[in-house]
Amino acid sequence: MRASNISDDVAKEMVQNFKTVSKRNNILLAKGRVASEVYFVDSGYVILESEINGNPFTRHIAKEGEFITVIESFTARQPSKETLKMTKGARIYALGYKEFTALLDKYPTLEGAFRLVLQNTLIKCQARINDLLSLSAEEYYEKLISETPYILQAIPQYELSTYLGIKPQSLSRIRRKLMNIS
């Protein structure tokens, strides 16, 4: 994502500060650690996972071309209540907190770009909350099929079921039902 008011020189310096993420496991940020980086998803997905009553819950999925971090932890410098995991084969770049804040200080135009990223993420989160509250699991799954079919191929069924707010067995039933209808 590139805001139109960012010059090529600023964009170039920003890109130079990003580092390729290389992890043996898929965990970018473990629960209880302070988020010290903001991530850019070049390919694949990053899953933001919370825990509710001891059960994992996929709260957000960042796709190619999106930024993600645990914003509460990143900005307040507090331990994260969430986990960030990248999908197998994902290509992720990280920008450290110090580099991020130095770039914001050096280039005030980045503040506006950052605000746009936050606004777009908030809009997506609010739409997701509305969907979870107003759609049945089957309706929400059908919406995902029509709007974001690529997620269904890349995200493991367990994470997809928690993203829908249901158990994996319920997702299997919904899939079977929809296959029988088609």
Side-chain angles (χ1 to χ4, degrees), residues 1 38 60 67-72 74-75 100 104 110-126:
M1 177 179 191
V38 62
H60 183 74
F67 292 91
I68 189 167
T69 191
V70 177
I71 195 70
E72 305 92 339
F74 187 76
T75 57
F100 177 79
L104 288 180
L110 287 177
E111 289 266 346
F114 181 55
R115 186 176 58 250
L116 284 174
V117 169
L118 288 175
Q119 287 172 343
N120 288 332
T121 301
L122 181 58
I123 289 167
K124 288 177 190 172
C125 289
Q126 287 176 329

Side-chain angles (χ1 to χ4, degrees), residues 5 35 90:
N5 62 341

Side-chain angles (χ1 to χ4, degrees), residues 16 25 29 48 54 76 83 86 107 110 114-115 119-120 123 125-126 137 140-141 143 147 172 175 177-178 181:
Q16 288 172 342
N25 61 23
L29 175 67
L48 185 143
T83 299
M86 59 185 192
Y107 301 110
L110 287 177
F114 181 55
R115 186 176 58 250
Q119 287 172 343
N120 288 332
I123 289 167
C125 289
Q126 287 176 329
Y140 194 14
Y141 183 74
K143 182 177 180 178
E147 293 180 4
S172 293
R175 284 180 161 172
K177 180 180 176 184
L178 293 176
I181 293 172

Side-chain angles (χ1 to χ4, degrees), residues 120-150:
N120 288 332
T121 301
L122 181 58
I123 289 167
K124 288 177 190 172
C125 289
Q126 287 176 329
R128 175 163 154 61
I129 290 167
N130 289 336
D131 288 345
L132 282 169
L133 294 173
S134 64
L135 300 175
S136 69
E138 186 174 327
E139 290 168 330
Y140 194 14
Y141 183 74
E142 287 175 324
K143 182 177 180 178
L144 286 177
I145 289 171
S146 67
E147 293 180 4
T148 55
Y150 46 85

Side-chain angles (χ1 to χ4, degrees), residues 48-67:
L48 185 143
E49 186 178 271
S50 295
E51 212 173 89
I52 299 173
N53 298 325
N55 298 313
F57 177 74
T58 301
R59 194 160 59 94
H60 183 74
I61 300 170
K63 66 181 187 323
E64 183 176 311
E66 293 182 345
F67 292 91

